[in-house]
Amino acid sequence: MISLIVHGGAWNIPADMVEAHRTGVAAALQAGWKVLAGGGSAVQAVESSIQVMEDDPTFDAGRGSFVNALGEIELDASIMNGTTMRCGAVASVQNIRNPITVARVIMEKSDLVLLTGIGAVRFAKEHQLPTCKNDDLLVGRELQRWKKLQTQKKFSPKDAFRGTVPSDTVGAVAMDANGIIVAGTSTGGTPNKHPGRVGDSPLFGCGTYADSAVGGVSCSGWGEGIIAVVLAKSVIDKMEMTGADGDAAASYGIQRLASKVDGLGGIVLLDKRGKPSIAYNTPRMARAYRTSDMNADVVEV
Ligand code: ASP
């Protein structure tokens, strides 16, 4: 059995942006599926899928990310191998086009877990990973949004998930032919965020978690709330401790987010057999999945 699920954020995706989200998650699924179908690793599949969405300006990850209050782009990303239990993450990192790749190298080539800001950039350079300019990540849509936000009353990150403010974080969970489950997440965070603000995405147990004996999870939504309920690990615990199936565990996670902190968000997961599940309490969530039991991709927004 091989299996892959990807997501491109959970929010009120407007009708005129649905097609771009559909195309984006479909392309990400194809990139990761090609790796798995060719006998590649779940780590490589997750990295490849997320890279495609980091490069696609539709999403709030890599190029196309939201801009912080200072007009800079600060990125968070994480990846976790559920068999070795090794993990790697970057937070508040600038000038990196594919932060998921830096996260992977931290996981595989160091004994560290999480690097922030200039330390993460230094690590990337030490490992000959490419850096870029802030402008290489900035797209006109986000510059306009940022300019507009400077003239408006400040809103909290929580409010960002209430209206039509985008929440286009990306993520992927893969299971390879060796039964290794890997989860990863990448984001530009929230629009006009305070410099240095870190959301759930680079925090293990919150936005990302994998344990090949149980399953793997990637989240999107209101980061501060997701951190407070330790969303990804709560979902894994639900499966491990109560024997809940993936659908029940994913719904439980979203109910917990809603009931404990009045939060909005979405979850994609694979259970230990590679069965995909999705749950969200936003109007839409962009996602795509495939398993070796299926003969076509499923792409839904
Ligand atoms: N969870 C992300 C964050 O709070 C945002 C998102 O999912 O779009 O940084």
Side-chain angles (χ1 to χ4, degrees):
M1 177 79 165
I2 54 172
S3 183
L4 176 64
I5 186 163
V6 306
H7 73 82
W11 62 290
N12 194 7
I13 302 170
D16 64 347
M17 291 181 75
V18 166
E19 204 40 49
H21 282 74
R22 193 182 290 280
T23 313
V25 291
L29 183 76
Q30 275 166 23
W33 189 255
K34 201 169 152 204
V35 171
L36 292 176
S41 70
V43 170
Q44 185 58 52
V46 165
E47 184 189 11
S48 298
S49 288
I50 290 181
Q51 275 178 348
V52 166
M53 294 185 281
E54 287 176 339
D55 291 342
D56 182 340
T58 303
F59 301 105
D60 172 33
R63 185 161 174 273
S65 286
F66 296 141
V67 177
N68 74 11
L70 294 179
E72 300 161 340
I73 291 175
E74 289 182 324
L75 305 171
D76 300 338
S78 64
I79 188 165
M80 178 166 187
N81 180 325
T83 295
T84 62
M85 303 308 273
R86 284 286 306 142
C87 30
V90 291
S92 282
V93 67
Q94 296 188 23
N95 308 112
I96 299 284
R97 194 181 280 267
N98 291 115
I100 193 67
T101 300
V102 184
R104 178 186 176 171
V105 176
I106 292 171
M107 175 174 77
E108 293 187 332
K109 303 236 162 83
S110 82
D111 51 9
L112 308 168
V113 168
L114 171 61
L115 288 173
T116 64
I118 50 170
V121 176
R122 180 182 281 256
F123 179 93
K125 288 183 180 158
E126 283 163 6
H127 289 79
Q128 284 78 49
L129 299 172
T131 55
C132 67
K133 297 199 185 73
N134 194 63
D135 282 359
D136 296 335
L137 302 173
L138 183 63
V139 298
R141 176 195 67 219
E142 295 312 325
L143 183 61
Q144 293 317 319
R145 188 195 313 280
W146 179 77
K147 282 187 180 155
K148 204 166 149 210
L149 287 171
Q150 304 318 301
T151 64
Q152 288 177 3
K153 188 175 152 283
K154 287 265 178 293
F155 61 86
S156 78
K158 183 172 185 175
D159 295 335
F161 296 94
R162 301 269 149 211
T164 51
V165 176
S167 166
D168 282 316
T169 290
V170 307
V173 186
M175 188 176 88
D176 63 26
N178 294 317
I180 296 174
I181 296 180
V182 173
T185 310
S186 181
T187 188
T190 48
N192 207 31
K193 65 188 179 182
H194 194 287
R197 180 262 184 193
V198 175
D200 58 299
S201 306
L203 302 181
F204 296 99
C206 300
T208 303
Y209 201 76
D211 177 344
S212 302
V214 186
V217 176
S218 172
C219 305
S220 173
W222 176 41
E224 283 71 7
I226 292 172
I227 293 169
V229 301
V230 198
L231 186 57
K233 184 64 162 59
S234 297
V235 169
I236 292 287
D237 285 351
K238 184 75 178 170
M239 290 194 282
E240 187 173 24
M241 311 291 179
T242 71
D245 68 14
D247 290 349
S251 317
Y252 160 80
I254 291 299
Q255 276 159 22
R256 187 172 147 80
L257 180 66
S259 65
K260 294 280 181 191
V261 294
D262 191 26
L264 294 177
I267 291 167
V268 298
L269 75 76
L270 294 182
D271 73 9
K272 64 181 175 203
R273 283 176 289 276
K275 183 180 152 301
S277 296
I278 301 123
Y280 53 97
N281 61 355
T282 48
R284 292 179 182 275
M285 181 171 195
R287 74 274 185 183
Y289 58 91
R290 178 147 192 183
T291 75
S292 42
D293 289 345
M294 298 162 44
N295 45 24
D297 301 347
V298 173
V299 181
E300 295 167 330
V301 179

